[in-house]
Amino acid sequence: MGAPLSAWPWENFGIYKYLLYGPFVAKVLCEWFYSEDHSYYNLSWCLHLLILSGLRGLIHVLWGSYTHMLFLTRNRRILQQGVDFKQIDKEWDWDNFLILQALVASMAGYMFPFLQHLPLWNVKGLLVALILHVGVSEPLYYWVHRKFHGDYLFTHYHSLHHSSPVPESFTAGNATLLEHLIMTVLIGIPILGASVMGYGSASMIYGYVLIFDFLRCLGHCNIEVIPHQLFETFPFLRYVIYTPTYHTLHHTDKDTNFCLFMPLFDALGNTLNKKSWQSHKILSSGSGNSDTVPHFVFLAHIVDVTSCMHVQFVFRSFASLPYTTRFFLLPGLPVAFLILLAMWAWSKTFLLSFYYLRGRLHQTWVVPRCGFQYFLPFATDGINKQIEEAILRADKIGVEVISLAALNKNESLNGGGKLFVDKHPNLRVRVVHGNTLTAAVILNEIPQDVKEVFLTGATSKLGRAIALYLCQKKVKVLMLTLSTDRFQRIQKEAPPEYQSYLVQVTKYQAAQNCKTWIVGKWITPREQYWAPRGTHFHQFVVPPILSFRKDCTYGDLAAMRLPEDVEGLGCCEYTMERGVVHACHAGGVVHSLQGWTHHEVGAIDVNRIDLVWEAALKHGLRPVSSKTHTVKEN
């Protein structure tokens, strides 16, 4: 049993907690269908509460989105660490207070019937609410907040709010039931007080509550948005409105800056942090974080229209889970498509996310191009220009390693990055395609007793490396290709005694008795039918093939789990599990941690596959599956 009023009554309801809005919806529908007057003055009190709850939630979501727009905010971030999965899960039910306050407000509407018949506008009400806020709510909150930092109340209640390492808009709602009951009273005093005096109005309620939430989110956004010049021009404003830096200092130094919105009360209570103004000036000017240079950059791209919404600045909670198509994404598809077209025309490579590994900053940059665009002949030059500019920018700022994602290293596009290395021979940043580790991951998924595999995409960079590696383990490789010339060139690369293990095939029928398929080129469900029952499909094709056969098993794209000491990671990489990244991303991480000084572009050096795999394991990266297999010589 926890402390009284520390848990939410609906904390075990999950998504079904939103059914608590059901009576509100039912009453609104009932009044709509059975009332002839649909004017403003006959609008249901419950309808106002539903609209207000929606707008309040939207304010928190929009602030959260802005916080994660790193391409706009990175130089004004207050705390540098990222928001990890643990914090996201802890704040998952941040909106409990919206349900609570809607329920309390509905009861208030029955206790004080005049609230249901307020005029639309009353200027005096806004003034009275402001006076009551400054004269009652602000000092009361300051006093209560200091009490909640006492031993008992902090341990049993307020510590939950302070358990989030990085404040965000959702952190503002992450508190216990008791704290939000008190907050409900603080919000209610100005509203009820102005209404009892006869100055209440709908605009006053909407305005006060939404501004209240806006300022709460402002204080918790971890981005300094208020210019220091404002306080230098009007010094008294420092005591009228707090800043994100001001409130973040309360989260880092818990004995100062207790105010709700007005630092005046901290000044009067002698709890104002002396670093508040100087820290604010440094961060608001953008000079506090401008020298942070990543050690490693993963240069990604957009996969498709729906998955482009799987990012933290759209839905933080959705991005923290592996990507799957959801119904709630459908209304956003037209907007997403228009934004993609606009990015095609005007956008440059931008910063998407980051994490820290052993004190080293790792970032993901995104080329603003969608998967289908990589297959448009007229788009090739523009894509290569974007990638080249990203590499040169990384080189200029001092990045050590930049790794190219799947389509950004396409052989037909730029030869696996070789185009840029040849064009700029003096690059200091090491360009890495990560294919060596990708090949290693696929090869270590193949069971030890396999004697024959069927390989599509057999003459690609990865297909070539896999074929050459397996043949030297005396595994027969059925290489699907129509090009005899390309097959023979690869075959001649193998030592003479192993060349017979490489066999060219031109039809899928040739693999009808082979239960190990390595898919490097997309295959249709019809082509999958040639695989015998019990076949396992390993794959390195983007996008992954459809899991069509119920009597077969399908492997995921090659990936590795980052070391356990990764910090600030709070988003999933496409369909990968939490903490798992594509092998080409992991290959760049290994290259950086090892301190290798060579580029990894063009063809894969088969002799380095085992070396790279061992280096990955040495640095704490692990395969995703619980079991791995090393192909032994048969």
Side-chain angles (χ1 to χ4, degrees):
M1 288 291 292
L5 299 179
S6 62
W8 292 89
W10 50 82
E11 68 177 12
N12 295 320
F13 286 17
I15 196 172
Y16 296 107
K17 69 182 181 181
Y18 298 111
L19 293 176
L20 293 171
Y21 285 116
F24 296 76
V25 176
K27 183 169 177 59
V28 170
L29 293 176
C30 181
E31 293 183 356
W32 180 264
F33 285 112
Y34 291 100
S35 175
E36 296 181 358
D37 183 8
H38 298 308
S39 65
Y40 160 76
Y41 292 100
N42 201 43
L43 288 180
S44 170
W45 175 247
C46 290
L47 177 60
H48 283 299
L49 294 180
L50 288 173
I51 294 172
L52 197 54
S53 293
L55 291 174
R56 298 179 73 187
L58 182 62
I59 286 174
H60 284 76
V61 170
L62 291 178
W63 266 111
S65 296
Y66 176 71
T67 296
H68 287 282
M69 291 180 179
L70 300 175
F71 47 90
L72 297 177
T73 63
R74 64 183 181 275
N75 288 336
R76 289 179 286 114
R77 288 181 63 84
I78 301 167
L79 299 180
Q80 288 304 291
Q81 59 262 49
V83 177
D84 58 19
F85 294 118
K86 183 178 179 181
Q87 176 174 339
I88 293 172
D89 290 343
K90 190 175 295 183
E91 296 175 353
W92 199 269
D93 292 313
W94 63 270
D95 58 348
N96 278 337
F97 77 97
L98 295 177
I99 300 175
L100 170 70
Q101 292 178 5
L103 294 173
V104 171
S106 67
M107 290 187 287
Y110 286 103
M111 295 171 62
F112 307 99
F114 60 85
L115 290 174
Q116 301 189 37
H117 305 285
L118 294 175
L120 178 62
W121 182 262
N122 189 324
V123 177
K124 293 181 180 179
L126 296 173
L127 182 60
V128 171
L130 179 61
I131 293 172
L132 289 173
H133 174 85
V134 175
V136 181
S137 294
E138 282 280 353
L140 184 57
Y141 176 89
Y142 175 81
W143 179 78
V144 170
H145 194 181
R146 289 195 66 174
K147 292 297 181 183
F148 266 95
H149 276 259
D151 290 341
Y152 178 82
L153 290 178
F154 186 84
T155 301
H156 293 88
Y157 296 96
H158 199 47
S159 59
L160 172 64
H161 180 68
H162 278 273
S163 64
S164 298
V166 183
E168 290 201 339
S169 59
F170 304 112
T171 310
N174 186 40
T176 59
L177 175 61
L178 176 61
E179 291 172 280
H180 276 299
L181 283 171
I182 294 172
M183 192 67 74
T184 303
V185 172
L186 294 172
I187 295 175
I189 289 173
I191 294 174
L192 191 59
S195 300
V196 168
M197 294 178 192
Y199 302 121
S201 67
S203 58
M204 180 268 292
I205 295 176
Y206 275 85
Y208 179 76
V209 172
L210 295 180
I211 292 173
F212 190 97
D213 281 353
F214 182 90
L215 292 176
R216 287 270 290 166
C217 293
L218 168 72
H220 289 87
C221 73
N222 195 40
I223 307 295
E224 189 48 74
V225 296
I226 299 179
H228 64 90
Q229 294 89 344
L230 180 66
F231 293 154
E232 292 174 355
T233 306
F234 305 102
F236 72 93
L237 288 180
R238 290 174 175 168
Y239 300 97
V240 176
I241 185 70
Y242 74 166
T243 67
T245 302
Y246 186 94
H247 190 70
T248 300
L249 284 170
H250 170 71
H251 278 259
T252 56
D253 182 2
K254 298 180 179 63
D255 295 326
T256 59
N257 294 7
F258 292 98
C259 75
L260 180 55
F261 305 131
M262 298 180 65
L264 170 65
F265 294 94
D266 278 309
L268 294 174
N270 198 30
T271 56
L272 196 153
N273 193 305
K274 296 179 181 179
K275 297 183 292 185
S276 298
W277 315 134
Q278 185 61 28
S279 297
H280 171 254
K281 182 176 181 179
I282 294 172
L283 289 162
S284 68
S285 64
S287 60
N289 307 318
S290 58
D291 295 328
T292 305
V293 176
H295 291 80
F296 164 72
V297 167
F298 178 56
L299 189 61
H301 58 79
I302 302 166
V303 178
D304 53 45
V305 178
T306 54
S307 67
C308 75
M309 292 181 276
H310 185 249
V311 290
Q312 288 182 303
F313 62 79
V314 178
F315 299 110
R316 186 186 77 166
S317 56
F318 178 51
S320 72
L321 301 173
Y323 171 75
T324 55
T325 302
R326 304 286 181 87
F327 285 113
F328 69 82
L329 297 176
L330 297 180
L333 286 180
V335 177
F337 184 71
L338 291 175
I339 291 174
L340 286 177
L341 292 179
M343 291 171 65
W344 192 356
W346 296 295
S347 181
K348 295 183 178 180
T349 299
F350 60 92
L351 171 62
L352 177 67
S353 62
F354 70 94
Y355 61 88
Y356 285 89
L357 181 60
R358 295 163 195 170
R360 304 163 68 93
L361 176 60
H362 291 194
Q363 292 181 345
T364 295
W365 298 358
V366 176
V367 174
R369 296 294 184 271
C370 199
F372 74 89
Q373 294 170 311
Y374 284 78
F375 301 98
L376 302 176
F378 59 85
T380 299
D381 291 342
I383 293 172
N384 273 333
K385 183 179 178 182
Q386 290 275 352
I387 297 171
E388 182 179 10
E389 289 177 350
I391 292 173
L392 293 177
R393 176 183 161 204
D395 187 65
K396 181 179 179 180
I397 65 176
V399 176
E400 294 178 1
V401 175
I402 184 167
S403 179
L404 307 180
L407 296 178
N408 285 335
K409 61 186 178 187
N410 194 303
E411 181 69 26
S412 61
L413 183 68
N414 51 48
K418 192 172 186 298
L419 171 69
F420 311 116
V421 173
D422 290 344
K423 186 176 179 180
H424 303 282
N426 296 321
L427 285 174
R428 291 171 299 172
V429 63
R430 281 99 73 193
V431 182
V432 175
H433 55 40
N435 286 337
T436 308
L437 185 57
T438 302
V441 171
I442 295 168
L443 290 165
N444 279 274
E445 290 176 350
I446 299 173
Q448 298 179 15
D449 57 352
V450 166
K451 296 182 180 180
E452 182 180 72
V453 301
F454 176 63
L455 178 64
T456 73
T459 59
S460 65
K461 292 190 301 291
L462 269 169
R464 165 193 163 277
I466 290 170
L468 290 173
Y469 184 95
L470 288 174
C471 77
Q472 295 181 56
K473 300 295 182 181
K474 296 185 178 180
V475 176
K476 184 179 181 181
V477 183
L478 305 178
M479 299 175 64
L480 181 67
T481 178
L482 296 176
S483 175
T484 302
D485 181 59
R486 295 181 70 178
F487 167 75
Q488 289 178 347
R489 285 204 304 267
I490 293 174
Q491 188 180 44
K492 289 177 181 178
E493 288 188 65
E497 64 270 26
Y498 299 116
Q499 291 181 4
S500 61
Y501 288 95
L502 300 179
V503 180
Q504 180 186 8
V505 297
T506 58
K507 296 182 179 180
Y508 289 91
Q509 293 92 315
Q512 58 187 333
N513 296 316
C514 179
K515 290 189 175 183
T516 302
W517 283 39
I518 305 175
V519 182
K521 184 178 181 180
W522 213 82
I523 56 176
T524 65
R526 182 178 180 181
E527 291 163 342
Q528 292 181 35
Y529 263 123
W530 290 106
R533 181 183 300 233
T535 294
H536 182 78
F537 293 92
H538 305 270
Q539 53 185 318
F540 58 93
V541 60
V542 179
I545 61 174
L546 299 175
S547 301
F548 186 74
R549 294 279 301 272
K550 301 299 182 183
D551 57 348
C552 297
T553 56
Y554 293 78
D556 295 322
L557 293 177
M560 295 203 77
R561 191 176 301 280
L562 290 173
E564 294 181 358
D565 54 345
V566 64
E567 298 175 328
L569 181 63
C571 57
C572 290
E573 199 167 274
Y574 194 39
T575 57
M576 299 293 136
E577 301 173 16
R578 288 182 167 186
V580 174
V581 296
H582 291 91
C584 51
H585 182 151
V589 171
V590 173
H591 209 93
S592 174
L593 292 174
Q594 276 289 111
W596 284 328
T597 58
H598 65 279
H599 297 291
E600 185 188 291
V601 294
I604 299 171
D605 184 350
V606 179
N607 296 321
R608 288 183 57 83
I609 290 177
D610 289 333
L611 174 67
V612 172
W613 177 253
E614 291 168 3
L617 298 180
K618 181 184 76 171
H619 287 291
L621 285 86
R622 291 292 179 267
V624 178
S625 58
S626 58
K627 295 181 180 180
T628 59
H629 311 275
T630 301
V631 179
K632 298 190 298 183
E633 184 174 316
N634 291 304

